[in-house]
Amino acid sequence: GRSPGRRGSPRPSGGPADRAARALQSRPSAPSGCCPETMSIDRKILIADDDEDVRKGTAELLGPLGLDIVLCDNGVEALELVRRRDLHLALLDNRMPGLTGLEILQAIRSEVLGIPAILCSGDVRDHDDLVRFAQAAGAFAVLPKPIAPRLLKQEVVRALDLPPTMGLSGEA
């Protein structure tokens, strides 16, 4: 039975901070069995873009893959994060304050950091040259902006060497 001192039922959800704390506490590190699309996988990725809407939208799109996502808004911070060597993939906008995505790619290669990187660029005019330079610097892929969501998911899944079906949840 219920304790006699309580009136009504306990609060079902509390405020946003309470819900966030419960979600973090109850988040399994490696759920067994069901639903690979929603489980947490041991992959940490960086999304570096100076456009906040792009960062948040990309994180929202990739969130269902169960990735640990780190966001930053400039090239200098992005390179610092890459140099920590705890990332599995870097998604880099080409035009950011501090350093460009291409400069970060070149640093990854010259410093032998061994992290795959996907370069994203809205530079339509110089796209072919950028693709050549990025591939020479070791880019895993070069995607033109705006990026088709399905293509982005597929490239991230491929770069992380995940099962190909992981990027297809919720797609027609």
Side-chain angles (χ1 to χ4, degrees):
R2 295 205 169 137
S3 49
R6 283 195 161 190
R7 282 191 326 183
S9 62
R11 280 190 313 163
S13 65
D18 294 337
R19 287 193 299 273
R22 278 196 304 279
L24 288 173
Q25 290 169 351
S26 66
R27 184 175 166 193
S29 57
S32 59
C34 97
C35 317
E37 289 81 17
T38 58
M39 75 177 179
S40 176
I41 58 174
D42 188 26
R43 299 288 196 292
K44 186 175 185 179
I45 70 164
L46 169 67
I47 299 172
D49 198 302
D50 58 331
D51 184 324
E52 183 178 9
D53 292 336
V54 171
R55 282 193 314 273
K56 287 182 176 179
T58 303
E60 190 175 300
L61 176 73
L62 299 177
L65 295 177
L67 305 169
D68 182 5
I69 298 173
V70 178
L71 304 175
C72 80
D73 65 0
N74 68 80
V76 174
E77 184 183 359
L79 184 55
E80 287 172 9
L81 290 165
V82 167
R83 284 180 172 150
R84 291 183 189 166
R85 297 178 180 260
D86 66 343
L87 294 169
H88 297 92
L89 175 65
L91 290 178
L92 306 170
D93 180 29
N94 190 47
R95 291 192 184 239
M96 292 183 286
L99 294 169
T100 67
L102 186 58
E103 290 168 328
I104 297 167
L105 276 171
Q106 291 164 338
I108 290 171
R109 183 179 178 125
S110 70
E111 296 176 29
V112 195
L113 298 174
I115 177 176
I118 297 174
L119 187 67
C120 307
S121 176
D123 298 331
V124 177
R125 194 180 54 213
D126 301 322
H127 187 73
D128 291 341
D129 287 339
L130 181 63
V131 169
R132 261 196 315 282
F133 290 133
Q135 288 173 338
F140 184 84
V142 181
L143 303 179
K145 285 182 173 181
I147 304 169
R150 186 179 181 107
L151 176 62
L152 179 60
K153 277 185 177 179
Q154 287 172 339
E155 290 300 324
V156 167
V157 164
R158 215 167 55 89
L160 293 172
D161 198 26
L162 299 172
T165 55
M166 285 191 74
L168 302 178
S169 64
E171 299 289 329

